[in-house]
Amino acid sequence: MWFPRLASDRVLRARPVDGPFALTLKADNTERIYCLNRAAERVGLSRDMSFADARAFCPDLISQPARPDLDAPFLAVLRRWATRYCPWVGYEGADGLVLDVTGAVHLLGGEPGMLADMHARCERAGLELRLGLGETRGAAWARAHFGNPHSPLTELPVAALRIEDRMATALQRLGLRRIGDLASAARAPLARRFGPELMLRLDQALGHVSEPISPEGEPPHYATRMSLPEPIGLTEDVMGVTARLLIPLCDKLKAQEMGARRLCLTLRRVDQGRQQVELRLAAPMHDPTRILPLFVRGVGEVAAGFGIDQIRIEATLVEPLPAQQIGSRQSSPDQLNDLITRIGTRIGLENVQRFLPADSHIPERAFSIAPAAYSTPERGWSVRRSRPLCLFPPESISASGSQPPAQFRWRRMRLTTGRATGPERIAPEWWLPDDKWRSGVRDYWKVDTREGRRLWLFYTPQNPGWFVQGEFT
Amino acid sequence: MRVALHTLFPLRPARVHEVCGAGAMGFAAMAARGPVLWIREAWLSDTLTPQGLLPLLDPSQLLLARPKDQMDALAVAEEALKDGALPYVVLEITRPLDLREGRRVQLAAKAGGTTGVCIIPEDMGSNASETRWRATPIFEPERQDSTLMRWETIKNKSGTLGVWHVRWNQQTSRLDVVSPVGERPGSSGTSG
């Protein structure tokens, strides 16, 4: 099955356009036509034409930028749809599918019936489809791209052999226009001149060399559900059903060596209302006895109404979780991850954080704060100079001069400088714009006050002023 | 009779203690042993720095929780204390705990066998706490990297009160008790 206008058909399905339509893709600094519809081809446009030329030819051309990243999922959808004809469906390039229909044809009324059905369904869906049917993959490709489903292979041009354009042109110059001509020519000189690829393609098309179809596997689906004959409403009952649902789900996850990171429990009520309980886990997990208690809080908040008659649980986000050897070491990471999950369900998983070292001289950027569930603790902290335990946004104090003031007021306290240590000059990181450091370099002083508090003051020589930024232990 | 600090200071486990004063954060960090959960409301603008913690506590052992208000902070504290996965929980509160709240965190600590330290603003102690401390930094003229503090127990459920002057010893990561007030120069100007 070849979809010659896959990209433009995809866009036109969503928003039909009467008249010429083209998708453009920017390549090598020029907009070129990536895909176009039949009306645009009729007025003389073609693929790879520059977009400026195309607009000159056809002023009422409607265009859109192409999205090859969306075309691939669309083809995946079509691949899934094509499994209605046979179970073995693979991709053929970026705009085609290859089906191994051996043994499946009689179910759909023989070959003509099946081809007619494919055409009818694609036409209804607004997709242009070219079909080729052959004993080999190469033959089917040749018929789809260069003929009709039943045209004899030997009559097709040599370009239908899936060879490069340059090679096809060279063969035509030699007078070998059709596949039949090529097949009857002497093999040795051709192989010497064009290399083994031409002969391989020819043999594949004629069936001398086998070419398997590799069907795509279905992506695993991690969800289970249970419909109940009588509606339930008690929290223990819901938890009981959840426990029973978790067992097959976790077995599946275990078999695939995956762990759930986010679970979604959907409760359908008798009145068709739906309630969802989402659980985000701090670490991938596939152990039902550990996951179940984490649902208690979420399930407790569900309003059961007249009762719940269907429960579905789905792992919406999974991560690889290979089996690990359990040694004699205590299993505290598991316990800690469970705790992070439970806290995370209350305050949000991103609000449980840890410090990570960062490389910067700026005191407030010398560390970063990352969610604990998505980071691992890092060692390797070092300090060259003592830093305050607590940093706050700079608080201005009234003082002047480049030496620390002997007396100052801060937070309604009158403080006397006992000893000042410094200055330590820290220059702003000019490569990172930061409004707080607009005032230029800072001279930091550690000021031990006679009242006891040990403060971190700085002076900005370029914009004279004194500020308190931190407090030491 | 003077009470020795070691009868009180590695804080009694499975209890929640309270600390106030300007050196409260330092006290909480010095008291910590092993992994720590530090609960701090998200709207507070001042931040704890790992570089400042480093002499007192390994920052990689620290987890921060940033709940949006004190109700959530207490829920997180109760959960963490009860769980026992982290042996040490620090909770910063901004309004006084009532009897019920104070008792609940105390019971949670008992259930989990964890130690809790509650950093409170001055005079906002709850009745349920095991001990209440006031930590005040003290000026020390002769040492540049001084960490001299005055620790005072202002409440103790199972013992008497006391006052100590302590200094953090960075080489050995432990606390040194130094000679008391009055005999030292510069200690006359202490506050609090």
Side-chain angles (χ1 to χ4, degrees):
Chain A
M1 297 175 102
W2 179 39
F3 303 97
R5 301 179 205 282
L6 181 76
S8 58
D9 283 343
R10 179 182 66 78
V11 177
L12 290 174
R13 262 163 61 84
R15 208 190 54 164
V17 168
D18 295 328
F21 176 82
L23 291 175
T24 59
L25 190 68
K26 196 160 189 165
D28 299 336
N29 229 6
T30 41
E31 295 266 6
R32 292 193 177 277
I33 290 184
Y34 176 73
C35 194
L36 68 178
N37 71 352
R38 200 175 272 276
E41 224 158 53
R42 218 176 288 130
V43 294
L45 308 185
S46 64
R47 275 179 202 220
D48 289 337
M49 191 183 219
S50 100
F51 182 51
D53 289 351
R55 258 193 313 203
F57 274 119
C58 175
D60 54 351
L61 178 69
I62 297 167
S63 72
Q64 256 191 26
R67 293 286 304 275
D69 54 323
L70 293 183
D71 293 338
F74 184 55
L75 190 64
V77 172
L78 288 174
R79 189 203 68 79
R80 192 152 179 260
W81 162 78
T83 52
R84 72 193 311 281
Y85 296 109
C86 70
W88 282 46
V89 185
Y91 295 112
E92 178 68 62
D95 54 0
L97 296 172
V98 52
L99 286 73
D100 187 353
V101 292
T102 312
V105 176
H106 67 279
L107 300 170
L108 295 142
E111 285 180 9
M114 186 180 69
L115 297 183
D117 183 61
M118 286 177 178
H119 268 299
R121 282 178 190 276
C122 282
E123 198 179 336
R124 215 178 309 148
L127 291 168
E128 187 165 333
L129 175 68
R130 304 270 300 266
L131 291 167
L133 192 67
E135 307 75 48
T136 63
R137 192 173 173 174
W141 193 91
R143 285 179 185 135
H145 284 72
F146 287 91
N148 60 55
H150 300 290
S151 52
L153 192 63
T154 47
E155 293 298 310
L156 294 175
V158 284
L161 283 177
R162 294 179 285 173
I163 53 178
E164 294 164 30
D165 289 346
R166 214 160 40 83
M167 206 186 275
T169 318
L171 282 170
Q172 282 185 355
R173 288 210 184 115
L174 291 176
L176 300 168
R177 293 179 192 286
R178 302 189 177 284
I179 294 176
D181 300 341
L182 194 65
S184 56
R187 291 175 66 93
L190 282 172
R192 259 207 308 280
R193 164 120 193 224
F194 293 104
E197 199 210 328
L198 175 65
M199 289 295 129
L200 176 69
R201 290 299 191 193
L202 181 65
D203 288 344
Q204 281 178 343
L206 295 176
H208 300 313
V209 172
S210 68
E211 188 184 7
I213 292 172
S214 53
E216 298 287 320
E218 285 291 322
H221 185 60
Y222 301 109
T224 49
R225 70 169 176 202
M226 187 183 278
S227 299
L228 307 164
E230 287 286 323
I232 56 171
L234 295 175
T235 309
E236 301 92 82
D237 294 348
V238 176
M239 289 306 292
V241 175
T242 311
R244 283 172 67 181
L245 286 174
L246 271 171
I247 292 163
L249 181 72
C250 288
D251 284 347
K252 197 169 178 184
L253 286 166
K254 247 178 239 172
Q256 310 255 7
E257 296 211 332
M258 298 297 259
R261 196 67 200 259
R262 192 168 1 156
L263 288 158
C264 187
L265 186 72
T266 310
L267 307 154
R268 200 188 67 187
R269 296 202 309 217
V270 184
D271 55 3
Q272 300 297 315
R274 266 168 209 284
Q275 291 194 319
Q276 292 204 327
V277 179
E278 203 189 50
L279 181 67
R280 292 166 74 199
L281 301 170
M285 232 190 255
H286 56 214
D287 188 357
T289 51
R290 277 177 60 206
I291 297 176
L292 187 64
L294 302 175
F295 265 116
V296 170
R297 184 182 146 78
V299 169
E301 286 175 357
V302 168
F306 294 108
I308 292 159
D309 66 350
Q310 191 189 65
I311 296 184
R312 178 172 188 271
I313 188 164
E314 185 182 9
T316 45
L317 189 69
V318 291
E319 277 180 12
L321 178 63
Q324 281 169 337
Q325 172 145 11
I326 301 167
S328 54
R329 289 176 57 194
Q330 55 183 3
S331 60
S332 82
D334 282 353
Q335 207 189 349
L336 182 59
N337 283 331
D338 287 0
L339 176 65
I340 292 175
T341 303
R342 272 204 305 277
I343 295 176
T345 51
R346 170 109 202 179
I347 63 171
L349 209 49
E350 64 285 346
N351 287 330
V352 185
Q353 303 161 337
R354 66 160 52 102
F355 290 120
L356 296 178
D359 190 16
S360 173
H361 291 293
I362 306 286
E364 56 265 38
R365 287 211 215 108
F367 57 91
S368 60
I369 293 177
Y374 304 101
S375 60
T376 46
E378 275 185 50
R379 297 183 174 273
W381 291 95
S382 65
V383 274
R384 260 155 288 168
R385 288 160 179 276
S386 67
R387 286 282 181 255
L389 180 62
C390 169
L391 275 182
F392 26 83
E395 292 168 16
S396 176
I397 53 171
S398 61
S400 59
S402 61
Q403 291 299 311
Q407 280 203 336
F408 56 95
R409 288 185 71 81
W410 173 69
R411 293 191 181 174
R412 296 187 184 180
M413 283 179 287
R414 176 165 293 284
L415 300 170
T416 316
T417 304
R419 180 186 48 241
T421 323
E424 180 193 352
R425 176 161 287 193
I426 297 179
E429 292 178 331
W430 51 262
W431 54 94
L432 293 172
D434 187 348
D435 284 340
K436 290 176 201 136
W437 282 77
R438 279 283 151 76
S439 52
V441 296
R442 296 178 178 181
D443 287 339
Y444 278 95
W445 294 79
K446 182 187 175 193
V447 171
D448 294 13
T449 60
R450 292 204 170 272
E451 287 73 18
R453 317 246 341 207
R454 293 180 267 270
L455 300 173
W456 213 35
L457 271 64
F458 69 84
Y459 173 65
T460 46
Q462 289 162 348
N463 288 300
W466 280 91
F467 300 87
V468 184
Q469 208 196 353
E471 186 167 8
F472 291 84
T473 40
Chain B
M1 201 188 96
R2 291 192 62 79
V3 195
L5 180 64
H6 66 84
T7 56
L8 279 173
F9 180 60
L11 295 172
R12 199 171 159 205
R15 294 287 186 282
V16 176
H17 307 263
E18 286 181 345
V19 59
C20 63
M25 272 188 164
F27 177 94
M30 286 173 195
R33 296 278 174 278
V36 182
L37 178 73
W38 198 298
I39 304 164
R40 186 142 225 280
E41 286 172 42
W43 55 271
L44 294 167
S45 62
D46 42 342
T47 51
L48 206 61
T49 66
Q51 277 84 4
L53 274 176
L54 192 58
L56 314 175
L57 172 74
D58 182 6
S60 59
Q61 300 257 25
L62 186 84
L63 278 179
L64 271 177
R66 306 301 305 267
K68 65 177 195 304
D69 54 22
Q70 185 159 324
M71 194 57 102
D72 276 0
L74 285 167
V76 170
E78 191 180 15
E79 190 75 59
L81 285 167
K82 209 186 286 173
D83 186 78
L86 295 159
Y88 192 83
V89 176
V90 180
L91 168 69
E92 288 186 44
I93 62 163
T94 47
R95 64 166 176 80
L97 300 184
D98 61 26
L99 269 176
R100 183 179 55 88
E101 291 164 338
R103 185 78 190 131
R104 270 184 75 158
V105 288
Q106 197 64 254
L107 287 173
K110 252 179 220 174
T114 46
T115 316
V117 168
C118 191
I119 298 179
I120 55 169
E122 197 78 29
D123 299 329
M124 280 200 194
S126 98
N127 271 330
S129 72
E130 179 71 18
T131 56
R132 189 173 312 133
W133 298 71
R134 182 179 291 127
T136 328
I138 287 180
F139 178 58
E140 192 181 18
E142 56 268 33
R143 283 174 65 120
Q144 239 184 40
D145 56 340
S146 156
T147 50
L148 187 68
M149 288 216 260
R150 179 172 184 270
W151 284 6
E152 182 186 0
T153 41
I154 48 181
K155 179 196 169 179
N156 185 359
K157 264 194 174 172
S158 49
T160 45
L161 305 179
V163 181
W164 302 273
H165 282 224
V166 295
R167 189 188 288 136
W168 184 253
N169 187 332
Q170 206 177 322
Q171 272 81 41
T172 54
S173 289
R174 59 189 204 112
L175 216 56
D176 292 344
V177 181
V178 297
S179 55
V181 207
E183 297 162 26
R184 306 179 52 82
S187 54
S188 53
T190 53
S191 69

